[in-house]
Amino acid sequence: MDQKKTWSSSLLFIMACVGSAVGLGNLWKFPYIAYENGGGAFVLVYLLCIVVMGLPILLAELIIGREARSNAFEAVSKLSGGKHFWKLLSFLCLFSPFILLSFYSVIAGWSLDYFYNAITGNLTHLTFETTGPHFGAFVSNPTKQISYHTIIMLLTAGVIMKGVKGIEKAIEVLMPFFGIIILTLSVITLSKYGAGKTLNFLFEFDFSKLTTKGILEALGHAFFTLSIGLGAMIIYGAYFPKEHSIIRAGIWITVLDTLVAFCACIMIYPIIFGTGMEVKESASILFTTLSVELHHLPGGQYVCALFYLLVAFAALSSTLSLLELVTSYVEDRFKLSRLKGTMLSTFIIWLFGICSALSNGGNEFFTSLKVMDRLDYILSNWSLPIGAFLISLFCGWVLSEEIKSRELGLKRDDPRYIIFNFLIRYAAPALMMVIFVSQLVN
Ligand code: TRP
């Protein structure tokens, strides 16, 4: 692999991976599923899933990527010696990012619109009654939906076109700003509301509130939030120089991703508690109630704009790894230049994404098919878990001990290596089987 295709430093690599992991899942999904599931006990299960399953699979992806040094699709066939069974995993490393990016880009576009309208003062008139209908009218406006989806795809393509160096440049701008904005917003909400209620809610372990459904959601979200199960860490790992530590990187990515999810709760919960919202509303709260409530803070209009900028940055740093996955495959498979590879993959994903963009009222046919909801369902409940399951089996049972210990930089009798091997061989696949069986039963 040539020099152009490696990260210039371990720090940039970690920042890029954190960028991929931190996204709408942290800012949107985590606060509301933790809320729906009653807080404390759910959070504990979630943290357990992150440690037992998330981190080992994340490390497994990095190992596979760095060992194979090729696009995710080929990495699997290369290391499996071309065995047919593993073609399924190769396929998922192409299919899942394709599907995810097609609708993630639409949602990312919403944050751009809200940012623009907040900063120009066009959201100041919204009230708790009118914010829902405003959002409804926006998502069912076909022109706006397609335009924002196009902008996000073009921005992402502009970066990916320049390869790893392009990603590095973008990450160097996006991540520090992301850090500053999230800290600023947390301080603003903390100084107005304090953290007491939020912390009580997150760390009060009342197990009577925990349901089987909640446990499954915690499991599912653990790998959604870390961006595992579709090869994102395989492709980023492929560009990671041999001399840096995979374990250290993996731990940083996991810790920072989790911290951001908690910060999101600190920003959002006081608002939920303050307005006594219905649980059902919480899924769309990010673009409805929250936009009104943010205007009540000091400097409201700008705080609100800053918040949607934060969401946009989080989403954009995630779309990068998704497009990189597809582009690196297209580039290698059809022997295209980086520019042509990027153009082709962007165009196909953009085109398919239009079905999602128009599925929230923009077009009768796509709306009746519920394209966006269905794709999200297929992805979160099936293709990501199956991908993660196969990756853990692949790393646990197909990769040799020699490869794993070399990549991790640990001797085979090192307790850390033994724990990793146990988790990736037995614990992670077993937990995953639990998800599948209960999914089928339900
Ligand atoms: N982790 C992202 C989030 O929290 C979503 C995601 C899942 C993702 N898998 C991914 C992003 C792969 C980039 C690449 O929003």
Side-chain angles (χ1 to χ4, degrees):
M1 181 165 290
D2 60 53
Q3 209 43 36
K4 277 199 315 236
K5 281 198 167 181
T6 53
W7 303 104
S8 349
S9 71
S10 184
L11 178 67
L12 274 171
F13 165 72
I14 293 174
M15 270 163 60
C17 292
V18 172
S20 165
V22 169
L24 297 165
N26 304 62
L27 299 176
W28 186 17
K29 216 167 175 180
F30 181 73
Y32 94 78
I33 59 173
Y35 182 72
E36 269 183 344
N37 287 294
F42 171 86
V43 173
L44 196 66
V45 175
Y46 167 77
L47 290 176
L48 212 75
C49 294
I50 291 273
V51 174
V52 173
M53 200 179 64
L55 180 59
I57 297 180
L58 176 69
L59 295 175
E61 286 201 18
L62 294 177
I63 293 174
I64 295 172
R66 190 162 76 172
E67 183 63 25
R69 293 221 167 271
S70 59
N71 69 68
F73 187 94
E74 265 172 31
V76 176
S77 33
K78 209 176 190 178
L79 297 178
S80 68
K83 288 221 178 66
H84 281 303
F85 175 74
W86 296 107
K87 294 235 156 70
L88 175 60
L89 179 54
S90 290
F91 168 76
L92 286 176
C93 291
L94 198 60
F95 171 81
S96 305
F98 178 91
I99 299 290
L100 179 55
L101 182 52
S102 74
F103 69 85
Y104 204 86
S105 150
V106 175
I107 303 176
W110 297 350
S111 58
L112 281 190
D113 177 83
Y114 271 66
F115 167 68
Y116 173 74
N117 281 314
I119 205 153
T120 50
N122 287 337
L123 298 180
T124 40
H125 67 281
L126 290 181
T127 63
F128 291 120
E129 285 73 41
T130 56
T131 182
H134 170 89
F135 177 67
F138 166 62
V139 293
S140 58
N141 179 326
T143 320
K144 283 193 178 169
Q145 291 303 304
I146 295 181
S147 309
Y148 282 113
H149 166 56
T150 310
I151 296 176
I152 296 284
M153 288 306 296
L154 286 178
L155 283 173
T156 311
V159 172
I160 293 306
M161 211 169 76
K162 304 229 166 67
V164 177
K165 296 300 163 210
I167 302 179
E168 286 190 345
K169 285 223 176 76
I171 286 295
E172 268 172 339
V173 177
L174 288 176
M175 295 320 280
F177 271 110
F178 180 87
I180 294 171
I181 300 177
I182 199 165
L183 288 178
T184 312
L185 288 175
S186 300
V187 169
I188 292 176
T189 36
L190 275 179
S191 58
K192 170 141 187 200
Y193 303 101
K197 262 191 176 171
T198 304
L199 294 179
N200 271 349
F201 185 75
L202 286 177
F203 296 106
E204 206 174 60
F205 305 123
D206 179 358
F207 282 91
S208 64
K209 289 184 188 150
L210 196 63
T211 58
T212 326
K213 186 176 151 277
I215 297 177
L216 293 176
E217 265 186 302
L219 270 165
H221 189 63
F223 46 73
F224 182 82
T225 189
L226 290 176
S227 297
I228 50 186
L230 51 64
M233 297 296 160
I234 297 186
I235 191 68
Y236 275 8
Y239 309 142
F240 194 37
K242 291 273 180 204
E243 63 271 20
H244 297 306
S245 161
I246 281 187
I247 297 192
R248 212 185 47 185
I251 291 177
W252 270 112
I253 298 164
T254 311
V255 169
L256 288 175
D257 182 74
T258 309
L259 275 181
V260 172
F262 282 105
C263 274
C265 293
I266 286 187
M267 291 187 309
I268 293 174
Y269 280 169
I271 294 169
I272 304 186
F273 297 146
T275 55
M277 281 182 340
E278 276 290 305
V279 173
K280 274 194 262 93
E281 285 174 80
S282 53
S284 58
I285 129 179
L286 200 66
F287 292 99
T288 53
T289 322
L290 208 58
S291 68
V292 177
E293 193 60 42
L294 286 167
H295 277 84
H296 295 159
L297 289 165
Q301 177 186 342
Y302 300 105
V303 174
C304 184
L306 213 54
F307 178 76
Y308 289 108
L309 190 64
L310 179 81
V311 179
F313 280 8
L316 270 173
S317 58
S318 296
T319 55
L320 295 181
S321 63
L322 293 169
L323 187 59
E324 176 62 28
L325 267 166
V326 181
T327 302
S328 56
Y329 169 76
V330 169
E331 192 188 357
D332 295 346
R333 172 73 179 73
F334 302 106
K335 310 243 174 322
L336 296 177
S337 65
R338 178 46 57 156
L339 180 66
K340 286 195 182 131
T342 310
M343 278 168 33
L344 181 61
S345 31
T346 305
F347 177 71
I348 301 173
I349 298 170
W350 171 81
L351 199 61
F352 186 67
I354 289 181
C355 310
S356 288
L358 298 179
S359 71
N360 296 299
N363 170 285
E364 227 173 277
F365 176 66
F366 293 125
T367 306
S368 68
L369 284 182
K370 293 196 187 142
V371 179
M372 192 189 253
D373 293 347
R374 290 241 164 92
L375 292 180
D376 181 26
Y377 174 80
I378 295 172
L379 198 89
S380 308
N381 295 280
W382 293 104
S383 65
L384 286 188
I386 294 175
F389 178 66
L390 292 176
I391 285 165
S392 60
L393 287 184
F394 189 77
C395 181
W397 300 91
V398 176
L399 288 191
S400 69
E401 302 287 319
E402 195 257 323
I403 292 181
K404 282 182 276 188
S405 66
R406 171 161 38 79
E407 285 294 347
L408 290 174
L410 297 173
K411 294 222 166 65
R412 270 182 247 175
D413 53 4
D414 188 308
R416 286 169 296 172
Y417 181 78
I418 295 171
I419 294 175
F420 168 78
N421 223 12
F422 170 76
L423 292 176
I424 203 75
R425 280 191 150 199
Y426 304 103
L431 274 173
M432 221 68 86
M433 281 312 282
V434 175
I435 306 192
F436 296 135
V437 171
S438 51
Q439 209 106 270
L440 286 173
V441 171
N442 292 326

